[in-house]
């Protein structure tokens, strides 16, 4: 298989170029020197004793319009880049934005609020995300999409001191790995960001009671101020060595649990980017008092935070239609009381229109406990294809309004929007609505800030609908 006709600045190859199978891939790389315009690629196949066969493909090279603005979103190739991106300034029209060579989308939000929408299309899927917020919130949220790192480093390591029923978690700068089983095990961390980072690792023993598994945090290791080179190997993480610590155990009281069953996860956070879930209950219990484990005070340093996450479900053992959760940050390792919010109120799911594509909506009356950030996601699976819609908005965007209406905008006429990316009529969709509230100031207005004493409550509703 040979491909010809590629213009200057464009490289076209067939992989594999020789095959006895039924498929091969055409790869086209367009360099920065390629001129805008159209050309024709010809793929020719030859085989002994058979006439040559060829097929032509039209190639169009475009130079995207890029610019500057007070709001810039950047995406990373490894985690996905949009096929379509648009923004809304205030309540004005939606406008498509093209990226620059670094996958940055720059635009101006001159009003006090606006919106961002983009679509990803991994294999057999289409996912459209829409965020409404203040200009500041949209700018700050953008930094969480990519974080400035498109690839990151690969770091290798080995764990030792692991029993047959043990599981080990290792995290470094947002990258993590898990290993299970006795002896020593190699692991690899990929896409580790550049710069100085902390490493956190925890060993937990897995026990089974029937079909239910539980994890008991038994040993931990924290290494601070690491900046390993790409491809390097860390010193062995030996949970039987002196650097390993025994976790501290404390009492936990769950307030307003009622008859719900709850699960508790205890995590640890350091300012240099270490986040580790070190203790997790894997089964639901209705007890309002229980134990939890965390990093002892002798190991913690200034700026470190313990994180308790509690999730409560009604009627344990059944598929829930509503969920309550609470997250609590605290610096000093000590006994804790976590208070859950009330049941979330009703959520009405419908559509504003079904033509030229389905435009779903979720309506909700804001409760004082859940008044800061709102998300609604609906997913359809139809055979081998899947479509997802995610809409988010902040209290800053709502401006104090108590009636929330998260509705899919009409993107008809917005450059290059494809209605095939939207949800479909006649196909069942599963949806989840979540409303979160917190009293702590700081952060970007769309998520709970990492601060000592910060507490958030979230209420969720789950349902199904055919649009």
């Amino acid at each position: 298989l040979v491909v010809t006709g590629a213009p200057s600045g464009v490289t076209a190859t067939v992989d594999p170029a020789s095959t006895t199978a039924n498929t091969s891939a055409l790869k086209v790389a367009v360099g920065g020197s390629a001129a805008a315009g159209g050309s024709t690629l010809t793929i020719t196949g030859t085989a002994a004793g058979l006439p040559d066969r060829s097929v032509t493909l039209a190639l169009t090279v475009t130079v995207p319009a890029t610019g500057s603005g007070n709001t810039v979103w950047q995406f990373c190739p490894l985690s996905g880049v949009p096929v379509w991106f648009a923004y809304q300034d205030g309540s004005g029209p939606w406008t498509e934005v093209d990226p620059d060579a670094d996958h940055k989308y720059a635009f101006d939000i001159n009003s006090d609020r606006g919106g961002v929408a983009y679509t990803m299309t991994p294999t057999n899927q289409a996912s459209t995300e829409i965020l409404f917020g203040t200009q500041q919130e949209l700018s700050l949220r953008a930094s969480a999409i990519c974080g400035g790192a498109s690839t990151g480093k690969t770091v290798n390591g080995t764990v030792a001191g692991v029993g047959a029923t043990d599981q080990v978690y290792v995290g470094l700068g947002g990258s993590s790995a898990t290993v299970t089983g006795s002896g020593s095990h190699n692991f690899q961390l990929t896409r580790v960001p550049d710069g100085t980072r902390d490493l956190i690792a925890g060993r937990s023993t897995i026990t089974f009671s029937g079909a239910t598994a539980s994890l008991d945090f038994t040993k931990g290791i924290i290494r601070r101020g690491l900046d390993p080179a790409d491809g390097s190997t860390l010193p062995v993480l030996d949970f039987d060595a002196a650097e390993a610590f025994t976790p501290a155990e404390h009492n936990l009281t769950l307030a307003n649990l009622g008859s719900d069953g709850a699960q508790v996860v205890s995590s640890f956070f350091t300012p240099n980017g270490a986040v580790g879930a070190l203790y997790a209950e894997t089964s639901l219990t209705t007890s309002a008092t229980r134990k939890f484990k965390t990093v002892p005070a002798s190991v913690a340093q200034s700026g470190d935070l313990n994180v308790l996450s509690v999730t409560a479900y009604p009627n344990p053992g059944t598929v829930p239609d509503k969920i309550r959760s609470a997250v609590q940050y605290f610096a000093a390792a000590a006994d804790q009381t976590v208070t859950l919010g009330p049941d979330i109120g009703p959520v009405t799911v419908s559509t504003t229109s079904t033509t030229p594509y389905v435009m779903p909506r979720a309506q909700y009356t804001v409760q004082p406990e859940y008044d800061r950030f709102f998300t609604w996601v609906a997913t359809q699976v139809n055979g081998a294809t899947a479509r997802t819609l995610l809409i988010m908005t902040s209290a800053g965007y709502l401006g104090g309004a108590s009636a929330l209406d998260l509705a899919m905008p009409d993107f008809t006429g917005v450059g290059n929007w494809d209605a095939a990316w939207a949800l479909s009529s006649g196909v069942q969709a599963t949806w989840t609505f979540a409303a979160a509230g917190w009293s702590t100031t700081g952060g970007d207005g769309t998520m709970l800030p990492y601060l000592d004493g910060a507490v958030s409550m979230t209420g969720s509703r789950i349902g199904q609908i055919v649009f």
Side-chain angles (χ1 to χ4, degrees), residues 2 18 24 28 55 82 116 136 143 147 163 166 193 196 203 216 226-227 235 331 359 367 374 414 433 437 461:
V2 177
S18 180
S24 189
V28 181
V55 63
V116 165
Q136 181 185 32
S143 64
D166 287 342
T196 301
R203 185 189 71 185
D216 183 25
L226 305 183
D227 189 8
M359 301 177 202
Q367 297 167 262
F374 311 89
V414 181
F433 176 89
R461 285 273 182 180

Side-chain angles (χ1 to χ4, degrees), residues 350-360 419 422-426 466-467:
S350 60
T351 62
T352 59
S353 178
T354 56
T355 57
Y357 58 88
V358 173
M359 301 177 202
L423 301 182
S424 303
S425 297
V466 177
F467 296 114

Side-chain angles (χ1 to χ4, degrees), residues 99-404:
D100 66 9
D102 294 324
H103 309 288
K104 293 180 181 177
Y105 297 79
F107 51 95
D108 281 314
I109 301 292
N110 295 313
S111 303
D112 60 349
R113 60 181 188 165
V116 165
Y118 58 91
T119 299
M120 303 279 200
T121 55
T123 303
N124 295 326
Q125 300 179 54
S127 175
T128 300
E129 298 191 9
I130 305 166
L131 171 63
F132 297 101
T134 66
Q135 190 280 325
Q136 181 185 32
E137 289 167 350
L138 293 176
S139 292
L140 291 172
R141 185 79 172 193
S143 64
I145 299 296
C146 182
S150 59
T151 55
K153 300 179 291 187
T154 297
V155 179
N156 303 297
T158 302
V159 296
V162 184
T165 59
D166 287 342
Q167 176 177 288
V168 174
Y169 166 91
V170 183
L172 176 63
S175 178
S176 63
T178 302
V179 297
T180 304
S182 61
S184 63
H185 296 272
N186 297 329
F187 64 88
Q188 187 173 80
L189 302 169
T190 60
R191 297 173 61 192
V192 177
D194 291 329
T196 301
R197 309 286 172 172
D198 293 343
L199 178 146
I200 186 167
R203 185 189 71 185
S204 298
T205 299
I206 306 172
T207 58
F208 290 91
S209 177
T212 302
S214 61
L215 294 172
D216 183 25
F217 176 33
T218 57
K219 284 288 185 176
I221 294 174
I222 296 179
R223 293 179 181 173
R224 301 180 187 267
L226 305 183
D227 189 8
D230 184 26
S232 62
T233 299
L234 299 169
V236 174
L237 294 164
D238 188 349
F239 288 95
D240 290 334
E243 71 169 330
F245 61 83
T246 300
E249 186 174 74
H250 302 281
N251 298 309
L252 172 63
T253 300
L254 302 182
N256 197 35
L257 177 62
S259 60
D260 287 359
Q263 291 175 299
V264 176
V265 175
S266 176
S267 304
F268 194 72
F269 163 85
T270 76
N272 275 345
V275 180
L278 299 180
Y279 174 77
E281 296 176 349
T282 57
S283 60
L284 291 172
T285 61
T286 57
S287 173
T289 58
R290 55 191 76 191
K291 303 286 187 179
F292 73 96
K293 292 184 177 181
T294 188
V295 175
S298 59
V299 177
Q301 295 184 5
S302 177
D304 292 347
L305 289 175
N306 298 282
V307 186
L308 273 177
S309 301
V310 180
T311 306
Y313 303 85
N315 303 318
T318 65
V319 177
D321 63 351
K322 56 187 176 183
I323 301 171
R324 295 179 296 155
S325 61
V327 179
Q328 189 158 302
Y329 296 121
F330 52 99
D335 294 349
Q336 297 292 316
T337 297
V338 175
T339 302
L340 291 157
D343 282 345
I344 189 172
V347 178
T348 302
V349 176
S350 60
T351 62
T352 59
S353 178
T354 56
T355 57
Y357 58 88
V358 173
M359 301 177 202
R361 75 194 308 182
Q363 295 170 290
Y364 165 74
T365 300
V366 177
Q367 297 167 262
E369 296 85 359
Y370 310 130
D371 63 349
R372 295 293 293 271
F373 194 65
F374 311 89
T375 64
W376 182 68
V377 59
T379 300
Q380 290 177 329
V381 177
N382 188 10
T385 64
R387 298 288 180 268
T388 300
L389 170 65
L390 171 62
I391 308 177
M392 302 168 283
T393 193
S394 68
Y397 184 90
L398 292 179
S402 61
L404 175 67

